[in-house]
């Protein structure tokens, strides 16, 4: 994928923190209007490799509101490669019109193949890959979330020499590719903190497959019980943060990471005078789906939906 990236800013968070601590956010959500954040980074070399090998179609995997599905569809359209999304939940086949993520992916030309949750769990097996090949023909395979060797290579480009002033770098984690790239590109004096969006401690082993350094730690207590889980306090935090900073955060990944970072600052976790760089990994398209969910529950919504895109 050959797209000229804008200069990605490290924006200071205009909030006064204890002990002289400062927080900046690297606005990776501004990489590209359609393929933003870590999804651009993960897909860049995968799409180049697919083209190099002569593939004309790419298959990947995700759930109903997957950032990865939306970004892959847009990237495929930009790079003139056919995309097929294998979607978890065969009941969703009749609900595309009610789902903003799937609607968007379809508008970018992505074709869908809906499977049961049981079948989806087998997506990484050779048998399932052959099953897809029998249906769609030869294809380039990108795993759910996009993490592989090429994705980690792309994510290493998030960190640049301009980031040497920071002694802590924080990021949300889905499948482990983004933090692995950040770890590999980090400087000797930096500590990398990862905030998993999922419950469970399996991610450490995934990260060790790709990470070349040991200067990292995972913070598990801010996932609110699992992927896309939320509560009223958290939504209020996101809205308040936006009102103070004009920086929109997604409610699944970066929002929980920033929530955790600020709570840890308040609790004295970071040394005095720490300079923290938080990576905004994008994912703002998911706000529409989250607000749909909140509206159905008669709960307060994220106030910045209309500011996105």
């Amino acid at each position: 994928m050959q797209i000229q990236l804008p200069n990605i800013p490290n924006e200071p968070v205009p909030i006064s923190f204890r002990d002289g601590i400062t927080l900046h956010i690297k606005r990776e959500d501004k990489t590209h209007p359609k393929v933003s954040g870590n999804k651009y980074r993960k897909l860049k070399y995968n799409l180049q490799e697919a083209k190099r090998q002569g593939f004309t179609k790419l298959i990947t995997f995700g759930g109903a509101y997957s950032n990865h599905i939306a970004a892959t569809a847009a990237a495929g359209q930009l790079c003139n490669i056919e995309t097929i999304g294998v979607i978890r939940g065969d009941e969703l086949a009749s609900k595309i019109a009610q789902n903003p993520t799937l609607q968007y992916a379809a508008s970018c030309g992505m074709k869908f193949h809906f499977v049961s949750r049981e079948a989806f769990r087998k997506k990484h097996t050779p048998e399932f890959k052959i099953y897809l090949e029998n249906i769609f023909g030869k294809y380039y395979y990108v795993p759910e979330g996009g993490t592989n060797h090429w994705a980690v290579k792309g994510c290493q480009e998030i960190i640049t020499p301009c980031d040497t002033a920071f002694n802590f770098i924080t990021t949300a984690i889905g499948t482990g590719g983004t933090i692995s790239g950040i770890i590999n590109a980090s400087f000797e004096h930096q500590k990398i903190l990862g905030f998993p969006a999922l419950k469970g401690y399996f991610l450490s082993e995934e990260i060790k497959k790709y990470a070349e350094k040991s200067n990292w730690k995972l913070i598990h207590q801010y996932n609110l019980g699992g992927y896309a889980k939320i509560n009223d306090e958290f939504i209020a935090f996101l809205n308040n943060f936006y009102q103070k900073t004009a920086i929109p955060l997604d409610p699944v990944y970066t929002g929980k990471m920033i929530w955790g970072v600020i709570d840890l600052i308040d609790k004295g976790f970071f040394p005095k005078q720490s300079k923290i760089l938080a990576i905004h990994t994008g994912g703002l398209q998911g706000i529409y789906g989250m607000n749909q969910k909140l509206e159905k529950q008669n709960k307060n919504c994220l106030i910045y939906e209309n500011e996105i895109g």
Side-chain angles (χ1 to χ4, degrees):
M1 186 163 52
Q2 298 290 349
I3 300 172
Q4 185 64 40
L5 288 184
N7 181 35
I8 306 302
N10 291 337
E11 291 189 13
V13 174
I15 297 173
S16 179
F17 298 109
R18 61 178 289 175
D19 299 329
I21 293 170
T22 60
L23 173 63
H24 286 67
I25 296 181
K26 183 178 278 285
R27 295 296 303 273
E28 285 283 304
D29 57 306
K30 293 185 174 183
T31 50
H32 188 271
K34 293 186 176 180
V35 191
S36 75
N38 64 339
K39 299 309 178 188
Y40 174 92
R41 306 294 186 177
K42 287 183 170 184
L43 289 166
K44 174 182 174 180
Y45 290 111
N46 271 294
L47 285 164
Q48 288 182 15
E49 184 64 10
K51 290 278 192 178
R52 187 190 71 80
Q53 294 186 33
F55 286 98
T56 60
K57 65 182 67 172
L58 177 154
I59 291 183
T60 196
F61 309 80
Y65 295 96
S66 167
N67 294 323
H68 174 65
I69 288 292
T72 301
Q77 185 180 52
L78 289 167
C79 297
N80 195 30
I81 186 167
E82 181 182 352
T83 56
I84 299 154
V86 178
I87 307 299
R88 180 180 60 249
D90 45 9
E91 77 281 359
L92 296 170
S94 62
K95 299 178 180 178
I96 295 175
Q98 290 81 49
N99 184 295
T101 299
L102 297 181
Q103 274 189 317
Y104 174 74
S107 75
C108 293
M110 176 175 273
K111 298 177 181 176
F112 300 124
H113 184 67
F114 296 91
V115 299
S116 68
R117 283 161 172 74
E118 180 182 2
F120 194 83
R121 285 192 287 270
K122 301 174 183 177
K123 61 187 178 296
H124 61 284
T125 64
E127 293 79 10
F128 196 83
K129 294 176 183 179
I130 293 171
Y131 156 75
L132 291 174
E133 187 173 309
N134 289 337
I135 297 173
F136 298 105
K138 296 290 185 182
Y139 64 90
Y140 184 84
Y141 172 88
V142 175
E144 183 181 17
T147 290
N148 58 16
H149 164 76
W150 296 113
V152 173
K153 179 181 178 181
C155 289
Q156 288 177 192
E157 296 175 356
I158 293 173
I159 303 303
T160 74
C162 296
D163 303 323
T164 55
F166 301 97
N167 49 341
F168 287 91
I169 300 176
T170 69
T171 184
I173 307 177
T175 53
T178 301
I179 191 173
S180 297
I182 290 169
I183 291 165
N184 293 346
S186 64
F187 297 92
E188 185 176 353
H189 64 283
Q190 292 176 329
K191 178 81 170 185
I192 314 304
L193 302 179
F195 292 73
L198 302 166
K199 284 199 305 182
Y201 291 80
F202 61 92
L203 276 169
S204 291
E205 295 306 312
E206 290 298 309
I207 293 166
K208 288 175 184 177
K209 293 178 183 178
Y210 301 104
E212 300 167 357
K213 303 173 185 177
S214 58
N215 61 334
W216 55 278
K217 177 180 180 179
L218 301 189
I219 310 292
H220 290 277
Q221 64 263 39
Y222 295 98
N223 58 45
L224 289 176
Y227 179 77
K229 300 288 187 182
I230 57 168
N231 61 27
D232 293 341
E233 178 188 1
F234 176 58
I235 295 299
F237 166 82
L238 295 179
N239 285 333
N240 184 54
F241 186 84
Y242 180 74
Q243 289 174 324
K244 289 181 177 179
T245 67
I247 299 175
L249 303 175
D250 86 284
V252 177
Y253 294 103
T254 301
K256 289 182 178 179
M257 180 266 292
I258 294 294
W259 189 42
V261 168
I262 291 177
D263 187 59
L264 290 175
I265 292 173
D266 291 342
K267 291 177 177 176
F269 174 88
F270 294 98
K272 294 180 179 180
Q273 308 299 319
S274 289
K275 293 179 172 59
I276 306 167
L277 178 64
I279 310 301
H280 194 316
T281 53
L284 298 179
Q285 69 85 27
I287 289 170
Y288 302 106
M290 182 60 74
N291 274 351
Q292 280 185 342
K293 176 180 175 182
L294 292 168
E295 286 172 1
K296 288 178 182 177
Q297 298 173 352
N298 293 317
K299 301 212 171 186
N300 290 331
C301 292
L302 294 165
I303 60 175
Y304 43 88
E305 176 180 313
N306 293 331
E307 304 299 321
I308 308 303

